[in-house]
Amino acid sequence: MKLRRITALYFSPTGGTRRAARFVAEDLTRRLSLETRFIDLTGPEARKEDRRFCAQELVLAAVPVYAGRIPNKLLPDLERGLAGGGAPAIPICVFGNRSPGGAVWELARLLERGGFRPVGAAAFVSHHAFSDLVGAGRPDEADWAQMREFSARAAARLSGDGLPPPLDTGGGEIGPYYVPLRQDGSPAQFLKARPLTARDLCAQCGACAAACPMGSIDPETMEAAGVCIKCQACVRRCPAGAKYFADPDFLSHVAMLEQNCRGRAENMTFFPESSDART
């Protein structure tokens, strides 16, 4: 089909989704010889803009997996702000070595409802936002190789004449949100947990406020004053290590992940000819 450019959209509070989205988009750029633009939807102001696409534009949309789903606070912005206009789309979800859940299918169906035409999809592994021990070193060389294989297969389908066959977005289950667990296996309740600030370390630089995708950290006090999605952007972006979580259930859940989710999770890719995952 005749394409004019590639657009990669991503929501990436801690950078893992951004890395995967840019890698696949840049590889597709080389294979298809197209202009590529990148749109970062992480900041709250960026998500206020309505974005419209057309059938001659390949759209790669990438989001992280939170509790086996698309982050629920992100859903309204994606549903309202993206109009596909028949554009072929590649939904990509990035998960922290536990499980992609149903996020890939949720994103694919969201895009389809918005007027996009999903032609392939993937779930790629990154280190977990809560702990570098979970998914340590991911993505690694084997992961990058699988991303290249995925982009090669997608490019082959997009470089032929006519429209490529659409992905069967009804082919996978979405399911409920994952219930986080404590170390003892009981449900962890940390919905109201907020990041704290070590005042003896804080330099009042504002990096945490600038990094918060919900705009919920007061740039004057550096304290969380609104919705917190536990993304860890403020913790990971603070140059002084002054931001942290102390909620007991949250810390117990992190310990559970470190105990049970350190084995190698596999990437998954999906194309129209089969509803089966490929690793």
Side-chain angles (χ1 to χ4, degrees):
M1 65 180 299
K2 185 65 173 178
L3 293 171
R4 292 195 299 225
R5 71 175 173 184
I6 300 169
T7 294
L9 308 163
Y10 54 85
F11 175 84
S12 186
T14 57
T17 300
R18 176 185 180 275
R19 290 179 72 194
R22 292 190 69 98
F23 185 91
V24 174
E26 289 167 358
D27 199 65
L28 281 167
T29 295
R30 288 189 289 271
R31 296 177 190 278
L32 296 172
S33 300
L34 293 173
E35 168 196 352
T36 300
R37 64 171 176 163
F38 297 95
I39 299 176
D40 186 348
L41 298 177
T42 309
E45 292 303 314
R47 299 195 301 277
K48 291 180 180 179
E49 185 176 340
D50 291 338
R51 304 180 190 278
R52 299 183 178 275
F53 305 91
C54 69
Q56 287 72 49
E57 186 167 8
L58 171 62
V59 177
L60 187 154
V63 301
V65 178
Y66 287 8
R69 300 281 295 274
I70 297 174
N72 64 346
K73 297 299 182 183
L74 178 62
L75 275 171
D77 293 328
L78 296 180
E79 292 173 331
R80 176 200 54 77
L82 303 179
I90 297 176
I92 290 177
C93 291
V94 176
F95 66 103
N97 203 64
R98 187 191 67 81
S99 169
V104 170
W105 301 112
E106 186 178 21
L107 181 57
R109 291 172 197 171
L110 182 151
L111 292 171
E112 191 171 57
R113 291 194 303 271
F116 295 87
R117 181 185 173 88
V119 296
F124 293 123
V125 181
S126 183
H127 67 267
H128 203 289
F130 292 175
S131 171
D132 285 338
L133 297 179
V134 182
R138 307 289 297 277
D140 56 21
E141 286 304 315
D143 296 317
W144 298 127
Q146 290 178 351
M147 290 184 203
R148 281 191 290 269
E149 179 188 357
F150 173 74
S151 67
R153 296 183 69 199
R157 283 151 180 76
L158 291 160
S159 58
D161 294 332
L163 291 171
L167 183 69
D168 176 10
T169 62
E173 294 185 6
I174 295 177
Y177 285 95
Y178 164 73
V179 177
L181 302 175
R182 300 188 187 102
Q183 251 186 311
D184 64 6
S186 63
Q189 304 289 339
F190 53 84
L191 184 63
K192 295 183 179 180
R194 298 289 184 273
L196 303 177
T197 305
R199 287 296 170 190
D200 57 328
L201 297 177
C202 179
Q204 299 284 310
C205 69
C208 58
C212 179
M214 297 293 107
S216 294
I217 296 180
D218 188 324
E220 298 297 324
T221 66
M222 309 304 146
E223 296 299 337
V227 173
C228 175
I229 61 173
K230 321 298 182 287
C231 69
Q232 307 301 299
C234 61
V235 174
R236 290 182 175 271
R237 300 288 180 84
C238 176
K243 302 299 288 190
Y244 67 99
F245 279 76
D247 181 270
D249 271 25
F250 176 81
L251 296 179
S252 185
H253 177 58
V254 173
M256 185 283 295
L257 292 172
E258 292 178 344
Q259 178 178 308
N260 299 307
C261 300
R262 292 172 66 173
R264 186 179 183 86
E266 296 298 337
N267 302 304
M268 293 187 287
T269 62
F270 306 88
F271 285 102
E273 68 270 25
S274 172
S275 60
D276 296 329
R278 290 173 57 94
T279 58

